[in-house]
Amino acid sequence: MPLAFADAVDKVESLTRVFAEVAEEVVDEARLGQPVPTCTGWRIGDLVDHLATIHRWAADALGAEHAPPRAERPADADLVRWYRTSAERLVDALRAAGPDAPAWTLWGDRVAGFWARRQLHETAVHLFDLLNAFRYGDQWHLDADLALDGIREILEGFYPRQVRLGRSSALPGVVRFEVTHDGGDAPTVLESPAVGDGPHAGSALGTVTGTAADVYLGLWGRQPLRGCSQELAETLRAAKLTP
């Protein structure tokens, strides 16, 4: 289950502060052009600017009936300072709105609670991108319950949306995910929805097994999907479950 709204906003605040601190530490004029291996075609400056823009876009979605325009960073604005103010604006707007305030969303209930969850995962994934670009990817961490919620967000939200928008041709069947836990607890079992209209849309394609963090990063294309056959991993990658 997603975090309670107040906890999710607190986590967004925490993750955005860490992102800003890392950016401030590693970003200088010489390294803004360094490639981001997990975001094809992007450089560090693009990554920081993108996340700042998405934070402002999410804040502007609160109270909106339609998708808001995306703000552009002023040409003379310091990149990391622009990121910090964008993140602070998002957190302040979420707290002022509350979980049930009306909002334009990508799917599901049109309430502000959507954006607390979405921005938590947006920031978590891009924090991995930033750390990994400087070979600190092993320092990235997301609590297992949050990573599990992120997997659910992909399967229940992003994947159907990708199909609806014509960005994915849909999986030719259903994939089972067995998310393992520390301590020997029974795995949490999730399945991809049968959203295709082919004759085998509901048939079993196979199983992916792994920790919540590994499956989460794998589905976001940040690392290879382990715990499944190479054929299944390639099928999932080709299906473009995420943007």
Side-chain angles (χ1 to χ4, degrees):
M1 294 294 292
L3 279 181
F5 179 80
D7 293 336
V9 176
D10 286 347
K11 189 64 177 178
V12 171
E13 183 175 42
S14 173
L15 286 168
T16 56
R17 282 180 176 173
V18 173
F19 186 95
E21 288 167 3
V22 174
E24 199 158 52
E25 183 175 333
V26 301
V27 170
D28 54 35
E29 289 300 322
R31 291 189 283 186
L32 284 176
Q34 181 166 324
V36 181
T38 47
C39 299
T40 303
W42 280 15
R43 301 188 181 277
I44 294 297
D46 301 321
L47 174 64
V48 178
D49 195 35
H50 165 80
L51 191 54
T53 298
I54 293 299
H55 290 335
R56 287 178 177 267
W57 184 63
D60 289 342
L62 304 178
E65 294 184 359
H66 306 286
R70 299 198 182 189
E72 292 188 7
R73 176 170 60 96
D76 60 347
D78 175 81
L79 182 60
V80 177
R81 189 174 298 118
W82 170 254
Y83 177 79
R84 284 188 185 277
T85 58
S86 301
E88 290 166 0
R89 184 172 180 268
L90 169 65
V91 170
D92 290 346
L94 286 168
R95 287 191 173 132
D100 300 319
W104 175 83
T105 62
L106 300 175
W107 63 78
D109 294 338
R110 301 251 165 175
V111 294
F114 172 92
W115 287 108
R117 181 195 198 193
R118 175 82 286 281
Q119 289 300 286
L120 187 163
H121 292 298
E122 182 81 11
T123 310
V125 171
H126 286 317
L127 177 57
F128 175 84
D129 295 329
L130 182 61
L131 289 168
N132 186 66
F134 293 100
R135 300 184 181 179
Y136 301 138
D138 59 349
Q139 296 185 22
W140 179 88
H141 172 79
L142 190 65
D143 290 345
D145 59 338
L146 294 180
L148 185 61
D149 175 63
I151 297 168
R152 289 193 173 100
E153 185 198 41
I154 293 169
L155 298 179
E156 298 169 5
F158 268 118
Y159 171 44
R161 181 173 184 266
Q162 288 284 93
V163 174
R164 187 170 67 251
L165 295 178
R167 297 173 178 174
S168 168
S169 57
L171 290 163
V174 173
V175 177
R176 176 185 172 96
F177 295 86
E178 295 184 355
V179 182
T180 59
H181 304 285
D182 293 334
D185 292 343
T188 299
V189 177
L190 304 172
E191 290 186 340
S192 61
V195 296
D197 55 7
H200 305 293
S203 62
L205 279 181
T207 300
V208 177
T209 303
T211 66
D214 280 344
V215 175
Y216 179 85
L217 291 175
L219 288 177
W220 273 110
R222 267 50 186 188
Q223 66 181 29
L225 267 172
R226 307 181 181 96
C228 65
S229 68
Q230 182 176 349
E231 180 181 4
L232 180 57
E234 290 174 351
T235 299
L236 283 161
R237 184 165 52 251
K240 299 179 180 178
L241 274 63
T242 58

